[in-house]
Amino acid sequence: RVVPGSPDGDVFAIGFGPRSDLFIDGGPGQSLCFWSLPDLREIRREDLGGVRSRGFVAGERLLTFTDLSRGDRVARVRSWPLPRGEPQLLGQIDSGVSSLATDPEGHWLAYGQGRTVRIRGLDGSRPWQERILGAHPEEVQLVSPFGAQGFMSVDKSGEIRIWSLDESRRTPLRVLRAPQSALSLLAADPEGTRIARALPGAIQVWNLRDPPDAASAVLKRPEMEWDNTGGFDASGRWLISNNALTVAFWPVSLPRKRVLPGPVAGWDIAFTPDSRWLVSCPFADAVRVWPLRPADGAVRALNPTV
């Protein structure tokens, strides 16, 4: 079925209601249209004012960000209860922030500003206070939720950092190295165990249950692309990628290959009885003990004394 389009509209990127019975998109001019699912009947229309708006669903409500005037870097932020109700004005934000994201329940709004990642609470408290989660070596490019545990971000160098919501912690939970990419896909699965990042012609995927030295998987996309968006579905079973030409689906249960860096093969390898460690004895090199779970850290070397 097709929702009637609005060629003169200037409202971008809305989405579905939390119970899968509502679809919201931009209507004529600066308006929002609310459609029932699956029959696609218009049940509500709201005018946002301003000159340009964007928005997305966060938990049980819709957040909208409306630029007040052209050339001004101030956006009005409102929270709309779903499916009906009057909006609440949360405050104002710099309309030039590099990215906007919320946690799955809609408690926090996160965004990049310069080299920092910042958050604000969405409970309607006054004043609308901002705090810094952490900083990158370079300018933040994208911010995305990391399950219910926090947020993650990528800077212009390609480095990905995962941040906790714990106010006492300013250092990242994990740092992942990735090539530079201007594409828009940075996503975690619902449980925060896998992370996907779009690269030109490919999707790079990390399994955070692997030890830190484990190689990521690279899923190839051979077609030319305009951008690469997508993410994991709500069940965590599928990774979806849309490059504006085709939509690709990968099952998350796809077998993976872990490649251990450095000399591993040699005289022998063996697992401990609890499958916690792999021990390798390379030719003319130190014995290495490889952890098989993240909590045990990185590889350890046992240098022979004789």
Side-chain angles (χ1 to χ4, degrees), residues 29-267:
Q30 287 294 313
S31 68
L32 285 176
C33 287
F34 296 72
W35 307 87
S36 62
L37 289 175
D39 58 333
L40 292 181
R41 176 177 52 88
E42 184 177 336
I43 59 175
R44 179 181 175 190
R45 184 174 295 195
E46 298 284 352
D47 184 63
L48 295 174
V51 296
R52 179 182 180 274
S53 294
R54 50 184 163 159
F56 49 84
V57 175
E60 296 287 328
R61 53 188 165 173
L62 168 71
L63 294 178
T64 58
F65 304 82
T66 300
D67 294 354
L68 300 181
S69 61
R70 299 195 185 278
D72 194 349
R73 292 174 61 90
V74 175
R76 178 172 53 206
V77 185
R78 285 173 286 184
S79 170
W80 304 73
L82 295 174
R84 298 183 182 277
E86 293 300 314
Q88 178 187 15
L89 178 63
L90 296 179
Q92 295 181 350
I93 196 171
D94 184 346
S95 63
V97 296
S98 61
S99 182
L100 292 166
T102 67
D103 62 288
E105 298 300 320
H107 297 309
W108 298 98
L109 173 69
Y111 48 93
Q113 194 160 34
R115 296 188 303 108
T116 61
V117 178
R118 304 171 182 237
I119 62 171
R120 297 192 187 198
L122 293 174
D123 61 357
S125 60
R126 295 291 190 272
W128 200 26
Q129 295 182 342
E130 174 188 77
R131 69 178 172 93
I132 296 176
L133 280 184
H136 275 263
E138 297 194 27
E139 185 178 346
V140 175
Q141 184 177 354
L142 288 173
V143 178
S144 185
F146 180 62
Q149 307 166 52
F151 291 92
M152 56 186 179
S153 51
V154 61
D155 66 18
K156 289 192 173 180
S157 74
E159 182 175 282
I160 299 169
R161 296 191 168 196
I162 302 174
W163 306 100
S164 168
L165 291 171
D166 184 350
E167 292 191 49
S168 65
R169 178 160 188 159
R170 292 292 183 89
T171 57
L173 297 172
R174 282 285 291 271
V175 176
L176 303 173
R177 309 294 178 182
Q180 290 183 345
S181 173
L183 302 177
S184 302
L185 194 161
L186 174 66
D189 67 5
E191 294 186 359
T193 58
R194 290 178 176 85
I195 289 178
R197 174 72 177 125
L199 308 176
I203 308 293
Q204 190 169 5
V205 183
W206 293 264
N207 188 327
L208 300 184
R209 290 173 175 159
D210 284 343
D213 58 355
S216 59
V218 178
L219 310 175
K220 296 293 187 180
R221 295 284 323 249
E223 312 98 327
M224 179 185 71
E225 58 194 33
W226 300 103
D227 195 0
N228 207 322
T229 59
F232 295 88
D233 79 315
S235 72
R237 294 174 54 203
W238 294 95
L239 171 60
I240 300 101
S241 165
N242 173 22
N243 66 0
L245 297 174
T246 60
V247 178
F249 290 72
W250 286 277
V252 171
S253 58
L254 186 72
R256 295 173 296 107
K257 177 176 70 174
R258 179 185 174 194
V259 179
L260 301 178
V264 178
W267 294 115

